[in-house]
């Protein structure tokens, strides 16, 4: 078993115990959700609060690699994928999520 396979197996166990369900392209995925980070973003007309957090999922659970701009549903709200960290052959893909409309 390679190190990447071992990491995938260990991360699967973590997801079983601590994972939260997110909805991506109509599919339920187990994800490890980080604590939300609140910051302010300067926009035309003033400042707006910006919430960002990450969702870590198993690559093997994804129907396709997510892209920035796609929508993820979690905790009864929609969030936009702001960035995707994908480092093959690592088993974990990290999605940076933020509000749909900041």
């Amino acid at each position: 078993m390679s190190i990447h396979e071992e990491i995938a197996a260990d991360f699967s166990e973590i997801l079983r115990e601590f994972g939260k369900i997110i909805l991506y392209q109509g599919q339920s995925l187990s994800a490890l959700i980080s604590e939300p980070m609140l910051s302010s973003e300067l926009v035309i007309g003033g400042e707006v609060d910006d919430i960002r957090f990450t969702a870590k999922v198993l690559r093997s659970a994804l129907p396709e690699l997510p892209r920035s701009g796609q929508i993820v549903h979690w905790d009864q709200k929609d969030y936009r994928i702001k960035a995707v960290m994908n480092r093959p052959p690592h088993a974990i893909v990290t999605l940076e999520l933020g509000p749909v409309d900041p």
Side-chain angles (χ1 to χ4, degrees):
M1 181 180 281
S2 76
I3 186 69
H4 300 295
E5 292 168 331
E6 287 183 40
I7 290 170
D10 290 344
F11 191 65
S12 291
E13 290 295 318
I14 291 169
L15 289 175
R16 272 195 272 289
E17 192 166 337
F18 302 106
K20 306 291 184 201
I21 299 299
I22 63 172
L23 200 60
Y24 169 69
Q25 291 191 337
Q27 181 179 355
S28 295
L29 299 172
S30 187
L32 195 59
I33 305 291
S34 71
E35 291 293 324
M37 180 176 61
L38 179 62
S39 63
S40 292
E41 183 176 324
L42 189 58
V43 295
I44 295 176
E47 286 187 6
V48 66
D49 287 338
D50 187 32
I51 297 172
R52 292 200 180 216
F53 59 96
T54 62
K56 294 183 179 188
V57 297
L58 272 174
R59 176 186 311 285
S60 61
L62 292 166
E64 64 182 35
L65 190 63
R67 296 178 313 279
S68 294
Q70 291 180 307
I71 303 298
V72 171
H73 187 80
W74 176 67
D75 197 28
Q76 302 175 5
K77 295 178 190 154
D78 287 334
Y79 295 94
R80 188 170 308 282
I81 298 173
K82 303 294 183 177
V84 178
M85 189 171 78
N86 170 38
R87 295 180 3 200
H90 293 273
I92 301 167
V93 174
T94 302
L95 308 175
E96 183 179 328
L97 302 174
V100 172
D101 295 315

